[in-house]
Amino acid sequence: KPLNIIDFIAILPFWVQILFGNVHCPLAFIRSLRLIRFFRVVKMSKFNSTLQVLGSTLAASTQSVYVLLIYVSLTCTIAGVMFNQIEEHENFSTVPRAAWWVAARMV
């Protein structure tokens, strides 16, 4: 299919750079083909009703999402304080750094 060929040509500069290093030929025009890939995704209007249902569901559950984010942030902060006090590792040297470590592991 033609769109598969466009996809292949769009990612070709990435692989050329990986395999051959910094090549001095202008590959910017090939990189512009990535826009075609983007417009192909935008063209998926047949899923419009599904996206509307997803959007309305997320809009209806914003309060629950806020509560979840508050619980996660409190858990990260409390665990960060505990790790900061107990552990002697450089990842836990400050409370924000320890809380970030916990958040990165939770997600």
Side-chain angles (χ1 to χ4, degrees):
K1 292 184 177 183
L3 292 176
N4 291 340
I5 294 170
I6 290 173
D7 286 344
F8 175 73
I9 292 172
I11 64 168
L12 192 63
F14 170 77
W15 288 106
V16 167
Q17 187 174 7
I18 293 279
L19 296 175
F20 301 113
N22 196 3
V23 180
H24 295 292
C25 65
L27 298 175
F29 71 95
I30 295 177
R31 288 190 174 108
S32 65
L33 290 176
R34 292 179 187 167
L35 287 174
I36 294 174
R37 296 175 71 200
F38 173 74
F39 289 128
R40 188 172 73 182
V41 171
V42 173
K43 189 176 70 171
M44 295 178 147
S45 62
K46 59 184 172 185
F47 299 115
N48 194 19
S49 62
T50 304
L51 291 176
Q52 286 177 350
V53 169
L54 179 64
S56 64
T57 303
L58 288 175
S61 63
T62 54
Q63 294 293 328
S64 300
V65 172
Y66 289 150
V67 170
L68 175 68
L69 290 175
I70 289 171
Y71 281 138
V72 168
S73 63
L74 283 174
T75 303
C76 291
T77 304
I78 292 170
V81 168
M82 290 174 32
F83 281 145
N84 178 266
Q85 296 296 318
I86 296 170
E87 296 289 331
E88 294 182 8
H89 193 269
E90 67 182 38
N91 284 339
F92 311 118
S93 60
T94 63
V95 173
R97 199 167 173 176
W100 177 253
W101 186 90
V102 172
R105 293 333 181 256
M106 286 178 71
V107 176

